[in-house]
Amino acid sequence: MITQLPDDFRFSGPSMELCTLTVRVADLADRFRFTLVHWGDQLGPATAMLVKLESGRDAALTEFRYAIERHGMKGPVVEVEAQDVAAVGVAALVDDVLGALRLSREDTDWIAPAENKARALDLLHWWAQTSWDDMHPRSEQRE
């Protein structure tokens, strides 16, 4: 069963865009009786829904009003953990998201390329190195 994550949820590592949907995030929230997170920035209002999929993986569905009004987006961007993309690949993760949301491939506007699995591995490697190096400077950096 799909469940809602708390409003202050954060991914444990880097995230990646998985796909964009043609179904508005408010419609999905109504379908599952979830609440939406609202905020604004210099580009205007944004709305998100944070969910734990039936598989236990996390996803953020974020919709930006300027992207809908000015760039022709039809619905939210779905972001997932890069480690999940690296573990199972784009196609399996898209199926996971769509299945949990009771949607089909026809409800997507864009899907990340399959080679994003390799990009996810590179991103995780970079992130691990950066995080480690930031917290553990080399002796020559400490002086």
Side-chain angles (χ1 to χ4, degrees), residues 1-119:
M1 177 165 95
I2 187 172
T3 57
Q4 186 163 24
L5 293 166
D7 292 355
D8 62 350
F9 168 80
R10 299 291 180 263
F11 289 118
S12 62
S15 64
M16 294 184 78
E17 291 183 359
L18 180 69
C19 61
T20 58
L21 303 176
T22 59
V23 179
R24 300 292 297 265
V25 72
D27 295 335
L28 291 167
D30 287 346
R31 177 181 294 177
F32 294 100
R33 293 186 171 83
F34 291 164
T35 58
L36 294 169
V37 180
H38 301 277
W39 74 94
D41 61 18
Q42 66 274 16
L43 296 174
T47 307
M49 183 172 80
L50 309 164
V51 298
K52 183 168 287 298
L53 305 172
E54 293 166 351
S55 64
R57 294 185 177 92
D58 303 321
L61 290 77
T62 308
E63 196 173 276
F64 299 93
R65 186 185 313 173
Y66 77 88
I68 300 287
E69 293 175 354
R70 295 195 179 111
H71 298 290
M73 290 198 59
K74 296 174 180 73
V77 173
V78 178
E79 289 182 278
V80 294
E81 299 254 11
Q83 66 187 9
D84 292 335
V85 176
V88 300
V90 170
L93 207 46
V94 168
D95 290 343
D96 189 12
V97 168
L98 295 177
L101 295 173
R102 294 186 231 143
L103 299 173
S104 70
R105 293 241 175 196
E106 287 77 35
D107 297 311
T108 63
D109 195 38
W110 169 83
I111 296 176
E115 54 268 10
N116 272 18
K117 181 173 183 171
R119 290 185 185 136

